[in-house]
Amino acid sequence: MKNLKNILLPFTICISHVFCEEVKLLIEEYIPFPQKIKNLNLLPTQFDWFTRDKFILVDQFMSEVIQLKSDGEISLSTKAEWGGNNNTEVVWAGVSNQGVKVVDKLTNSLTRTDFNLNPVERIDFNFELYPEHAAEDRFGNVYLYSQSYSSIFILENSGTSLRMHVDLNKLRILSTSVKSMSTNGDGQLGVLGYEGNFFEFSKNGLKKFSHKSEIQNLEFLVPLKGDWMLFNKDGQGELIKTGQELKIPTNLLPIYDIKTKNNRIAILSDSQIIVLRIN
């Protein structure tokens, strides 16, 4: 794919399986992975916006975290404890105004780094969580899902101790496991289960809203302007609260991760990041 910038792509929204409206998405940035990523045998499967032209990429299999600029330059931390270490399993990395936070399942810890990915502080969790998923809200609080506890814990910004935020056992929901977590601009937590069950929780951990999707094999949960988008790897999705169906163009597949920021959508594929702007 070359010279994609400023190309309009069709993005189909269908309402109630009857009326379909085509929304135009403008390709704002096309960032192909440089050869160095392939040379390092890395395949990023999770990412986060760093700045307008930078991203943090996570190879969860290799437990590696790298920084990618839109011009193709990449950088790795030379002081990190993860990457190339068989005793680490990075499950998530997120960016805040204080730096980068990296959650490691096997070491049961969170590491805060500077903006060059150099570790500043490691927090060993005071519960044996071994978290499967994590998400961060705009206040810097990190939410951690533990399958062992069947609960979601919170590590408050600048804090060092965890506390339970949502006990899924008491709510008798998500009986199998959590598939994905995300937060919206209001600090509410969205949780997607394996059977297409979605739940929205307030900042206090109270259940506010629930939804059962009929779309198979959902993987991604993304906030968008007061609503939530659900997608599977085939690009089939929906807006939860409005009931609108979504379909990502096939030339942007396969999908490994999706992020939103204001009116922009970033899609991580096997060899590139595409940033789309909603017209």
Side-chain angles (χ1 to χ4, degrees):
M1 244 187 247
K2 295 182 180 179
N3 302 322
L4 288 181
K5 197 169 180 180
N6 296 323
I7 291 178
L8 284 170
L9 289 179
F11 189 83
T12 304
I13 293 181
C14 300
I15 304 175
S16 301
H17 305 276
V18 178
F19 173 73
C20 291
E21 175 185 0
E22 188 176 85
V23 175
K24 295 296 185 181
L25 296 183
L26 184 70
I27 295 183
E28 189 171 86
E29 289 287 342
Y30 163 60
I31 308 171
F33 290 166
Q35 184 63 38
K36 187 176 180 180
I37 289 182
K38 297 180 181 178
N39 294 343
L40 293 170
N41 293 319
L42 297 178
L43 180 60
T45 52
Q46 187 254 324
F47 76 136
D48 195 16
W49 245 296
F50 196 104
T51 59
R52 184 177 180 85
D53 63 343
K54 294 181 185 178
F55 291 88
I56 291 294
L57 306 180
V58 179
D59 183 324
Q60 294 167 313
F61 180 77
M62 299 292 289
S63 286
E64 188 62 84
V65 183
I66 64 176
Q67 182 184 128
L68 172 67
K69 297 182 180 179
S70 59
D71 61 5
E73 179 184 347
I74 71 168
S75 58
L76 296 83
S77 173
T78 58
K79 301 178 181 179
E81 297 178 357
W82 58 82
N85 186 338
N86 292 329
N87 296 318
T88 64
E89 185 180 344
V90 174
V91 296
W92 175 86
V95 181
S96 68
N97 56 8
Q98 299 172 327
V100 180
K101 298 173 183 177
V102 180
V103 173
D104 191 313
K105 177 180 178 180
L106 289 188
T107 62
N108 196 39
S109 66
L110 178 146
T111 299
R112 293 190 174 105
T113 81
D114 61 20
F115 289 109
N116 294 316
L117 297 178
N118 296 310
V120 175
E121 176 188 23
R122 170 171 154 167
I123 299 172
D124 294 312
F125 300 142
N126 53 312
F127 289 85
E128 293 184 355
L129 296 188
Y130 305 105
E132 306 276 343
H133 299 285
E136 184 176 23
D137 65 22
R138 67 185 183 91
F139 308 105
N141 304 314
V142 176
Y143 301 88
L144 301 151
Y145 166 69
S146 170
Q147 188 173 20
S148 301
Y149 285 87
S150 190
S151 298
I152 298 169
F153 291 74
I154 183 172
L155 179 67
E156 295 182 350
N157 188 26
S158 73
T160 58
S161 296
L162 296 166
R163 61 177 174 83
M164 189 174 290
H165 186 65
V166 178
D167 186 344
L168 300 176
N169 296 293
K170 291 183 179 180
L171 294 176
R172 296 182 181 179
I173 59 177
L174 300 172
S175 58
T176 54
S177 185
V178 167
K179 188 69 172 177
S180 180
M181 297 196 308
S182 187
T183 63
N184 62 18
D186 297 324
Q188 296 161 340
L189 177 68
V191 178
L192 173 66
Y194 270 80
E195 301 87 0
N197 292 310
F198 167 84
F199 297 90
E200 182 183 85
F201 297 95
S202 70
K203 290 184 288 186
N204 297 322
L206 301 177
K207 188 177 76 169
K208 294 183 59 181
F209 177 80
S210 62
H211 170 77
K212 169 69 174 177
S213 177
E214 298 301 322
I215 299 175
Q216 298 297 310
N217 304 315
L218 288 169
E219 296 269 347
F220 310 108
L221 168 64
V222 192
L224 182 68
K225 296 182 178 180
D227 207 336
W228 300 88
M229 296 189 296
L230 301 176
F231 284 103
N232 61 22
K233 288 187 176 182
D234 297 324
Q236 296 176 313
E238 66 175 330
L239 280 166
I240 291 175
K241 296 184 179 179
T242 60
Q244 295 175 332
E245 294 181 359
L246 306 174
K247 180 66 177 177
I248 292 177
T250 56
N251 54 342
L252 300 185
L253 304 180
I255 302 169
Y256 286 162
D257 200 4
I258 305 176
K259 289 290 186 292
T260 56
K261 192 172 186 179
N262 300 322
N263 64 335
R264 301 162 75 215
I265 301 173
I267 299 174
L268 174 67
S269 187
D270 56 352
S271 61
Q272 65 200 11
I273 294 174
I274 298 285
V275 179
L276 308 171
R277 187 174 73 247
I278 302 174
N279 275 2

